[in-house]
């Protein structure tokens, strides 16, 4: 199956077609040990290899949670499900396929538009600039440039892949930090910091790390742990943002684009619930400016360290951005609407995943972060090892994942073939056709 998101080491992967996790690093020989590790918190582990194994699973399960228990994720699954239901109806497929391709394009555009001009550079030492550009294929986008002096080293587009992979990587590193903190391993923490710095400084990996690079550069007063928790808090909020709130934010963001021609088109895209990655990107930059220019800078830094979820509300209030919190995280939010739609679908591929676990997992992440939760806090599907062995999740969904895969394989192959035969593109409003925002 074609995979849109994979871990860098190819040790594990989350498949967007099946919503299944495959861990390629291990096979049946490690099954019993791994199942015991998955039931543990990072603080209770005693050996480094155990923390490495747990962090790998945490990375992939973060992808799973992003897709199955956020507003953005349920929207993605509903759009995919419309395609699946239309496979034998060409007229319906013609209607629903371009809508699903909106999401695929936001994930895939990175590999198509990435330009590396020099490899021997440290991205965190570079100056960053960005521009709003128009692509015939992907519509209005943000491109970030890494420069020194007059030389441009890297041009990397902002994508949902960047946001989602950075989120999963943050979960992975937080897991390791907690292990080293619990064992008082100062050397381990130092080596981990170097590992993260190497990761963030690699031009080849920028499609996975762009938002984290920006956080590291702009919030230098945060520790690595604080930086990752802040980033995940921001991503969680934006992945669950209601369409009305995205529209409200777009009215504010339209004043932040130098290129009004393309910027207004991006804002129009936000008004139809797309381009959430732009909100993540812009809020990183604007929160940096907001804190640095405030007379209460030290108090805001303290709030960012202690309660990163709160600082976003403070920013909205101070800038008269009338975001309605209850629409994002309340009972009447879009997440609840999407979840009810899923439950009422007679045929929905991930229904067995979502129906019994999405609400619980959503509420758990809403009230906590990966700096304090463990896999045992979530209701999760089993994972597959490299030889097909099924690895039981700690609090598992009662589902035979092999049988699930076999039941849906024909449909998944058909969908895969559709998008293999078609260059993924995003139907969009051309900047020429934007009259007002």
């Amino acid at each position: 199956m074609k995979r849109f998101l994979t871990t860098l080491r190819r040790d594990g992967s989350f498949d967007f077609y099946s919503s299944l996790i495959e861990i390629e690093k291990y096979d049946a020989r490690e099954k019993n040990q791994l199942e015991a590790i998955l039931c543990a918190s990072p603080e209770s582990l005693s050996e480094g290899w155990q923390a490495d194994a747990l962090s790998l699973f945490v990375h992939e399960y973060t992808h799973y949670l992003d897709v199955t228990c956020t507003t953005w994720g349920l929207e993605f699954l509903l759009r995919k499900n419309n395609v699946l239901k239309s496979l034998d109806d060409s007229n319906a497929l013609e209607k629903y396929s371009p809508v699903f391709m909106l999401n695929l394009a936001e994930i895939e555009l990175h590999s198509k538009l990435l330009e590396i001009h020099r490899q021997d550079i440290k991205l965190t030492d570079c100056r960053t600039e960005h521009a709003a550009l128009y692509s015939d294929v992907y519509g209005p986008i943000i491109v970030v440039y890494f420069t020194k002096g007059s030389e441009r080293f890297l041009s990397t587009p902002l994508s949902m892949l960047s946001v989602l992979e950075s989120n999963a990587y943050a979960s992975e590193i937080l897991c390791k930090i907690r292990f080293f903190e619990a064992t008082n391993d100062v050397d381990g923490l130092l080596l981990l910091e170097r590992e993260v710095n190497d990761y963030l400084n690699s031009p080849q990996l920028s499609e996975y790390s762009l938002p984290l690079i920006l956080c590291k550069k702009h919030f230098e007063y945060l520790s690595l742990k604080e930086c990752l928790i802040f980033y995940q808090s921001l991503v969680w909020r934006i992945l669950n943002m209601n369409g009305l709130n995205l529209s409200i934010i777009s009215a504010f963001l339209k004043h932040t684009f130098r290129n009004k021609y393309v910027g207004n088109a991006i804002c129009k895209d936000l008004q139809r619930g797309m381009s959430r990655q732009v909100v993540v990107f812009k809020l990183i930059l604007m929160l940096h400016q907001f804190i640095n220019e405030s007379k209460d800078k030290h108090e805001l830094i303290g709030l960012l360290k202690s309660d990163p979820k709160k600082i976003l509300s403070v920013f909205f209030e101070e800038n008269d951005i009338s975001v309605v919190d209850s629409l994002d995280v309340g009972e009447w939010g879009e997440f609840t609407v999407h979840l009810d739609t899923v439950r009422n679908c007679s045929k929905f591929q991930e229904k067995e995943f979502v129906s019994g676990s999405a609400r619980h997992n959503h509420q758990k992440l809403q009230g906590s972060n990966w700096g304090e939760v463990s896999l045992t806090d979530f209701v999760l599907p089993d994972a597959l090892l490299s030889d097909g062995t099924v690895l039981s999740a700690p609090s598992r969904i009662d589902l035979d994942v092999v049988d699930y895969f076999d039941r849906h394989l024909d449909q998944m192959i058909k969908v895969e073939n559709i998008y293999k035969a078609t260059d993924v593109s995003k139907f969009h409003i051309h900047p020429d056709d934007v009259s007002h925002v």
Side-chain angles (χ1 to χ4, degrees):
M1 300 298 293
K2 182 179 179 182
R3 294 185 174 95
F4 292 102
L5 298 177
T6 59
T7 52
L8 299 178
R9 297 179 302 277
R10 305 294 177 182
D11 288 345
S13 57
F14 172 77
D15 181 64
F16 265 38
Y17 286 140
S18 66
S19 298
L20 291 177
I21 290 169
E22 182 179 0
I23 302 298
E24 297 158 20
K25 186 177 182 180
Y26 303 108
D27 56 33
R29 293 170 295 182
E30 292 91 5
K31 175 179 167 66
N32 292 336
Q33 287 178 302
L34 289 173
E35 288 182 343
I37 289 170
L38 263 60
C39 291
S41 67
E43 292 84 358
S44 66
L45 300 176
S46 58
E47 299 182 51
W49 76 267
Q50 296 173 329
D52 287 341
L54 181 59
S55 67
L56 173 59
F57 281 91
V58 165
H59 181 119
E60 301 308 333
Y61 275 119
T62 298
H63 285 314
Y64 170 82
L65 292 169
D66 283 346
V67 168
T68 59
C69 74
T70 69
T71 300
W72 172 86
L74 291 185
E75 177 189 79
F76 175 89
L77 294 179
L78 285 165
R79 288 177 172 180
K80 183 181 74 171
N81 192 59
N82 283 334
V83 172
L84 292 173
K85 291 190 300 184
S86 306
L87 288 173
D88 297 321
D89 184 339
S90 58
N91 290 330
L93 187 61
E94 187 176 343
K95 173 183 176 182
Y96 289 119
S97 181
V99 179
F100 180 47
M101 203 178 286
L102 285 171
N103 296 84
L104 299 190
E106 289 196 339
I107 293 169
E108 278 217 310
L109 71 89
H110 214 122
S111 60
K112 306 293 185 183
L113 301 178
L114 178 67
E115 294 182 6
I116 300 174
H117 306 290
R118 273 185 58 179
Q119 302 273 4
D120 57 331
I121 55 166
K122 290 181 66 175
L123 297 183
T124 55
D125 288 343
C126 292
R127 180 184 176 190
T128 55
E129 302 171 328
H130 70 276
L133 303 178
Y134 175 72
S135 162
D136 290 337
V137 177
Y138 299 108
I141 58 172
I142 299 288
V143 176
V144 180
Y145 306 112
F146 290 81
T147 63
K148 266 193 176 181
S150 60
E151 186 175 3
R152 180 176 293 173
F153 297 142
L154 172 70
S155 303
T156 183
L158 176 70
S159 68
M160 277 301 294
L161 175 62
S162 301
V163 170
L164 298 174
E165 191 61 45
S166 288
N167 196 37
Y169 182 72
S171 298
E172 173 187 338
I173 299 304
L174 283 168
C175 179
K176 293 181 179 181
I177 288 174
R178 291 168 61 186
F179 167 73
F180 287 128
E181 286 182 341
T183 54
N184 294 313
D185 189 344
V186 177
D187 289 338
L189 283 169
L190 288 173
L191 287 172
L192 182 61
E193 292 250 10
R194 291 176 191 168
E195 174 190 319
V196 173
N197 283 333
D198 288 344
Y199 174 88
L200 298 181
N201 278 305
S202 171
Q204 303 95 308
L205 306 181
S206 65
E207 67 175 296
Y208 298 92
S209 61
L210 178 60
L212 288 180
I213 296 171
L214 297 173
C215 284
K216 189 83 181 326
K217 286 175 66 65
H218 288 82
F219 303 103
E220 68 282 355
Y221 40 75
L222 295 181
S223 68
L224 176 59
K225 184 176 183 179
E226 291 165 344
C227 184
L228 298 177
I229 290 174
F230 156 69
Y231 175 72
Q232 292 203 303
S233 298
L234 177 61
V235 170
W236 170 254
R237 182 61 188 278
I238 303 309
L239 288 184
N240 285 288
M241 189 158 276
N242 177 280
L244 176 60
N245 282 336
L246 286 173
S247 185
I248 290 169
I249 287 180
S250 75
F252 178 79
L253 291 184
K254 72 177 183 179
H255 302 293
T256 69
F257 290 99
R258 290 182 182 175
N259 184 342
K260 303 295 184 184
Y261 176 70
V262 176
N264 286 344
I266 290 176
C267 291
K268 275 295 182 186
D269 211 37
L270 282 170
Q271 290 171 7
R272 59 177 185 157
M274 303 306 297
S275 295
R276 291 173 189 263
Q277 67 273 16
V278 175
V279 183
V280 173
F281 172 79
K282 283 288 189 177
L283 284 175
I284 289 172
L285 301 185
M286 290 190 294
L287 281 168
H288 162 71
Q289 182 179 6
F290 172 65
I291 292 171
N292 277 3
E293 294 179 354
S294 173
K295 59 181 175 53
D296 301 318
K297 177 177 179 179
H298 295 296
E299 288 79 1
L300 290 174
I301 289 174
L303 184 61
L304 188 61
K305 288 171 172 281
S306 62
D307 192 358
K309 292 180 180 178
K310 176 68 174 175
I311 199 165
L312 197 56
S313 298
V314 172
F315 172 78
F316 289 152
E317 184 177 343
E318 290 290 324
N319 287 279
D320 294 322
I321 305 173
S322 303
V323 166
V324 182
D325 290 352
S326 61
L327 292 178
D328 298 336
V329 295
E331 281 300 310
W332 303 106
E334 231 168 82
F335 171 80
T336 301
V337 174
H338 287 337
L339 187 56
D340 288 343
T341 303
V342 169
R343 287 170 173 165
N344 292 326
C345 284
S346 58
K347 294 181 180 180
F348 185 86
Q349 182 174 298
E350 283 87 357
K351 193 168 187 175
E352 294 153 300
F353 289 152
V354 172
S355 293
S357 67
R359 168 79 57 191
H360 169 85
N361 293 341
H362 178 84
Q363 291 175 342
K364 177 59 67 172
L365 279 173
Q366 180 181 320
S368 53
N369 61 66
W370 279 103
E372 55 197 21
V373 298
S374 299
L375 288 179
T376 51
D377 292 310
F378 303 100
V379 181
L380 302 168
D382 298 336
L384 295 169
L385 302 182
S386 61
D387 58 357
T389 298
V390 176
L391 191 78
S392 294
S395 301
R396 62 184 297 275
I397 295 170
D398 186 16
L399 173 68
D400 182 335
V401 292
V402 175
D403 174 66
Y404 161 86
F405 182 81
D406 289 341
R407 281 189 283 119
H408 296 287
L409 179 59
D410 287 345
Q411 278 189 325
M412 290 186 288
I413 289 175
K414 288 180 181 178
V415 174
E416 179 187 22
N417 288 337
I418 289 172
Y419 295 105
K420 272 186 175 178
T422 307
D423 289 334
V424 172
S425 61
K426 179 178 177 179
F427 77 84
H428 55 271
I429 301 171
H430 194 282
D432 285 345
D433 298 324
V434 177
S435 57
H436 68 276
V437 178

